[in-house]
Amino acid sequence: MEMIHSEKLVYEYDKRDEEGNVIGTNRAIDGVDIDVAPGSFVAVLGHNGSGKSTLAKHMNAILVPTGGTIWVDGKDTKDPAELWNVRQTAGMVFQNPDNQIIGTVVEEDVGFGPENLGVPTDEIWKRVEDSLRSVGMLEYRKASPNKLSGGQKQRVAIAGVIAMEPKCIVLDEPTAMLDPNGRREVIQAVEKLREEKNVTVILITHYMEEVIDADQVFVMDDGHIVMHGTPREIFSRVDELKVYRMDVPQVTMLAEELRKRGLDLPRGILRREELVEALCRLR
Amino acid sequence: MIRDITIGQYYPAESPIHRLDPRVKIVCTLLFLISLFIQNSLLGYVIATLFLGCVIHFSKVPVKYIAKGLKPIVILLLFTVVMNLLLTRGGETLVHFGIITITENGLRTSVFMAIRLIYLVAGSSIMTFTTTPNGLTDGLEKLLHPLNRLNVPVHEVAMIMSIALRFIPILLEETDKIMKAQMARGADFESGNIIQRAKAMIPILVPLFISAFRRANDLAMAMEARCYHGGEGRTKMKPLRYKGRDKMAYIFTLIYIVVIFMVGRFVPFKLWVF
Ligand SMILES: Nc1ncnc2c1ncn2[C@@H]1O[C@H](COP(=O)(O)OP(=O)(O)OP(=O)(O)O)[C@@H](O)[C@H]1O
Ligand SMILES: [Mg+2]
């Protein structure tokens, strides 16, 4: 069974005037079909306002589709009886690290999710320790979140989701507000989780470098999924990406420019080593 | 400057006071606050000082840190002292100069009032310094649990309080940032009369409120995403159970209260050594 499966998903935000009366609708997602296999790593790219966050919120039943259906681990998110199941199955990490930490001590924040699930006390402690260790934040368990760096806060937020033992975790631009160091920390933590716990990861991001290890990439534009494939496939379509106002990784860009100047390089080079190797082979 | 406000913040440390059950700390803090008002003698204040000193010592919170928390009440403190000093009549006149008359009673009341206020803030900040906001709200929730039967939403109120406490430092930092941003645009918060200054605050308050609402919205979403659905069916990571040391603390505070009460009752008011 697919971890996440949607059919003709549509979501419309109400447009309101000054007094709050509904004056129309704004279609943020328009007929999205998406399939995510269990245990895979899926990246979603797209320009600002393309509907990525709206899509992410559907995977956690924060938003319920106005049209079509989305199933999370086989559960229809429209079904109120499955609401808490869906939210436990698909954990969510948001962009702003300050606005998603509820506890005033790191370990209490990580325990918040399991507390809500009604997990017994001993088990909560075990889960908190385990998830803090897996994101490398165990030594900060007694610290105040306000004293942590952005990257550390995001790792705590990830631990908070992991402690609920989800099958799938959705990260909505978790690195957007971080410096390069914080970004690396967070991405490494996510990679480690994938290896250790085999959770499905759905990463929404603006940074192309974070996408190259993904199994699948979806590119969104104006509420539609406009491109879909492996990173190599996606990034070999440089011109098409430009139409959707997307960048490609620097190395890919360089290889593409060189190719245009007549060098015989393959398409879709993603890593520096690949480029070096391909260049060496030319001689 | 605005980050100096320390009231309501947790001070992480390993101390016997930190380890006490939050309920003990809430109840004992209340008792201590009451104790400040049921007596009015030098001896009483000496005992209260000893008690507070003991607690501060065991809590391992630096005195400097507590003193910093007193800063915001300095104006209130000065105001009370001056008012009491000038307006209380009775007893010997110590100073008489034009319209200013300071009497013995005035001096005594103002000194005691100042001590009371300081102890009030110090006493309650010891509670918040040594208890995590989660602990505090858990304690309150449990103490007030009987009110549930009167349809008071105890859990919700407790949750609101704990979140408010968590966001105080964040919002203060934000205020600081907005102030600096407005100052960089030429805003002037220091000069002018009170009305002008109040008007100058508007460009700070509007963005602050907008951002606070946005944060509230985000946080509510993050809480829902983590399956928060009120107090029902919720377990606790740190459930409250009284231990031996909690009983000891209750007994200690009770003895203190009884002693203070006795002092207030039977030791003559006039133990005022000059
Ligand atoms: N709460 C809301 N009310 C009304 N319209 C909204 C709301 N949230 C988003 N929208 C609209 O829906 C569309 C998609 O927004 P969404 O936040 O999903 O985009 P996004 O791809 O996540 O963008 P970004 O990269 O900026 O995060 C946008 O046109 C936006 O204006
Ligand atoms: Mg977004």
Side-chain angles (χ1 to χ4, degrees):
Chain A
M1 188 175 24
E2 300 291 350
M3 193 67 233
I4 287 172
H5 174 70
S6 80
E7 274 171 22
K8 301 200 182 58
L9 193 67
V10 173
Y11 188 82
E12 288 174 338
Y13 286 105
D14 289 338
K15 258 195 222 144
R16 289 170 193 277
D17 63 6
E18 311 272 280
E19 274 106 54
N21 304 313
V22 181
I23 51 166
T25 52
N26 172 12
R27 203 167 259 227
I29 295 189
D30 193 3
V32 164
D33 298 318
I34 194 170
D35 269 323
V36 176
S40 64
F41 173 19
V42 170
V44 181
L45 300 174
H47 198 258
N48 289 111
S50 56
K52 307 180 300 288
S53 298
T54 310
L55 179 63
K57 285 172 195 164
H58 278 85
M59 299 176 181
N60 188 269
I62 289 172
L63 294 178
V64 175
T66 44
T69 312
I70 180 164
W71 289 269
V72 175
D73 198 24
K75 298 180 268 276
D76 183 348
T77 62
K78 268 199 289 265
D79 182 358
E82 296 281 17
L83 180 64
W84 305 113
N85 270 336
V86 168
R87 290 204 176 143
Q88 197 218 323
T89 309
M92 182 115 181
V93 176
F94 298 90
Q95 179 176 359
N96 189 329
D98 280 323
N99 297 357
Q100 57 182 320
I101 293 185
I102 293 115
T104 28
V105 178
V106 166
E107 60 178 14
E108 286 180 6
D109 182 71
V110 178
F112 180 77
E115 283 184 333
N116 292 332
L117 296 176
V119 174
T121 302
D122 300 340
E123 169 78 12
I124 296 182
W125 281 92
K126 239 193 298 167
R127 286 194 189 187
V128 166
E129 202 173 318
D130 193 44
S131 32
L132 277 175
R133 186 177 299 117
S134 66
V135 297
M137 288 294 292
L138 193 58
E139 55 187 304
Y140 294 95
R141 59 186 303 168
K142 302 271 183 216
S144 150
N146 292 328
K147 302 243 156 70
L148 302 180
S149 73
Q152 290 173 328
K153 280 184 214 170
Q154 280 306 54
R155 283 190 283 157
V156 170
I158 293 172
V161 169
I162 293 302
M164 296 169 71
E165 301 192 335
K167 292 185 187 164
C168 165
I169 129 170
V170 184
L171 302 110
D172 187 358
E173 300 193 40
T175 57
M177 299 178 81
L178 307 181
D179 58 12
N181 269 334
R183 267 200 320 260
R184 203 169 316 122
E185 283 172 23
V186 170
I187 293 302
Q188 275 167 2
V190 173
E191 268 166 19
K192 191 154 161 254
L193 281 181
R194 262 173 42 72
E195 275 165 30
E196 284 176 4
K197 314 217 174 215
N198 197 31
V199 281
T200 312
V201 171
I202 294 158
L203 176 69
I204 294 172
T205 182
H206 272 144
Y207 295 101
M208 302 304 142
E209 283 73 18
E210 295 170 2
V211 170
I212 52 184
D213 289 323
D215 299 317
Q216 272 194 92
V217 179
F218 291 94
V219 179
M220 287 191 75
D221 187 58
D222 198 19
H224 304 274
I225 294 211
V226 286
M227 291 170 82
H228 168 213
T230 63
R232 206 173 291 280
E233 283 162 14
I234 298 284
F235 289 130
S236 57
R237 291 145 72 182
V238 177
D239 296 326
E240 203 177 329
L241 279 169
K242 283 223 182 89
V243 175
Y244 303 120
R245 291 172 290 177
M246 304 287 305
D247 287 329
V248 292
Q250 276 175 348
V251 178
T252 316
M253 199 66 197
L254 178 61
E256 185 66 17
E257 290 297 325
L258 289 173
R259 215 167 54 80
K260 277 190 189 152
R261 298 289 164 87
L263 287 192
D264 181 25
L265 292 170
R267 280 170 177 269
I269 285 181
L270 299 176
R271 293 183 181 78
R272 192 186 306 195
E273 305 86 65
E274 283 175 49
L275 180 60
V276 172
E277 213 172 285
L279 284 173
C280 289
R281 229 181 289 131
L282 282 181
R283 281 193 289 145
Chain B
M1 125 219 119
I2 204 149
R3 285 192 213 179
D4 287 345
I5 298 179
T6 51
I7 295 181
Q9 284 210 52
Y10 180 61
Y11 180 89
E14 288 284 332
S15 83
I17 307 283
H18 280 78
R19 274 194 294 269
L20 285 178
D21 189 298
R23 284 172 292 178
V24 177
K25 285 185 263 190
I26 294 170
V27 171
C28 292
T29 305
L30 266 180
L31 287 177
F32 175 71
L33 299 188
I34 293 170
S35 82
L36 292 174
F37 290 90
I38 57 172
Q39 54 78 36
N40 201 358
S41 67
L42 188 61
L43 187 58
Y45 283 108
V46 170
I47 297 170
T49 310
L50 280 178
F51 181 78
L52 189 63
C54 257
V55 174
I56 292 177
H57 173 75
F58 282 124
S59 73
K60 292 192 184 155
V61 180
V63 177
K64 244 207 212 138
Y65 204 74
I66 298 170
K68 237 167 74 182
L70 293 174
K71 260 194 206 160
I73 64 154
V74 165
I75 292 178
L76 179 70
L77 201 62
L78 282 177
F79 182 76
T80 333
V81 167
V82 171
M83 284 319 237
N84 273 307
L85 207 54
L86 297 181
L87 299 179
T88 314
R89 294 276 174 273
E92 235 171 276
T93 303
L94 300 176
V95 178
H96 188 78
F97 182 79
I99 50 160
I100 297 174
T101 316
I102 296 178
T103 64
E104 196 193 321
N105 273 1
L107 187 60
R108 181 190 301 128
T109 329
S110 63
V111 169
F112 281 170
M113 235 14 213
I115 296 179
R116 268 183 190 167
L117 263 178
I118 292 172
Y119 284 13
L120 207 94
V121 174
S124 26
S125 38
I126 277 293
M127 175 178 76
T128 51
F129 282 149
T130 60
T131 323
T132 65
N134 252 1
L136 270 186
T137 42
D138 280 357
L140 265 184
E141 195 181 337
K142 202 122 189 215
L143 282 172
L144 298 181
H145 190 71
L147 290 183
N148 240 343
R149 250 181 266 145
L150 302 176
N151 280 335
V152 180
V154 177
H155 169 79
E156 282 73 9
V157 172
M159 185 52 98
I160 290 168
M161 286 180 37
S162 93
I163 288 172
L165 282 173
R166 146 120 176 86
F167 274 84
I168 285 174
I170 293 179
L171 289 179
L172 286 179
E173 203 169 302
E174 189 133 310
T175 315
D176 218 25
K177 239 190 257 166
I178 297 172
M179 266 174 107
K180 282 192 186 129
Q182 304 289 35
M183 279 194 297
R185 292 182 176 81
D188 177 9
F189 304 114
E190 252 94 73
S191 58
N193 60 28
I194 287 194
I195 295 177
Q196 280 166 336
R197 279 203 220 177
K199 267 197 185 146
M201 295 303 281
I202 293 175
I204 298 178
L205 291 180
V206 171
L208 188 66
F209 267 86
I210 291 175
S211 116
F213 280 120
R214 183 168 309 133
R215 280 181 195 283
N217 202 11
D218 281 5
L219 190 75
M221 196 159 64
M223 287 171 74
E224 272 196 43
R226 286 214 253 159
C227 292
Y228 180 69
H229 51 280
E232 227 169 286
R234 213 164 175 262
T235 45
K236 294 273 182 198
M237 180 179 180
K238 299 176 176 171
L240 299 180
R241 266 181 228 114
Y242 282 128
K243 306 220 174 62
R245 53 169 176 263
D246 299 314
K247 283 169 200 149
M248 292 289 290
Y250 271 136
I251 293 170
F252 186 60
T253 313
L254 271 180
I255 293 175
Y256 160 75
I257 276 286
V258 170
V259 169
I260 278 265
F261 183 72
M262 291 304 186
V263 167
R265 212 57 203 281
F266 301 113
V267 177
F269 194 59
K270 262 287 175 187
L271 249 183
W272 168 253
V273 255
F274 231 156

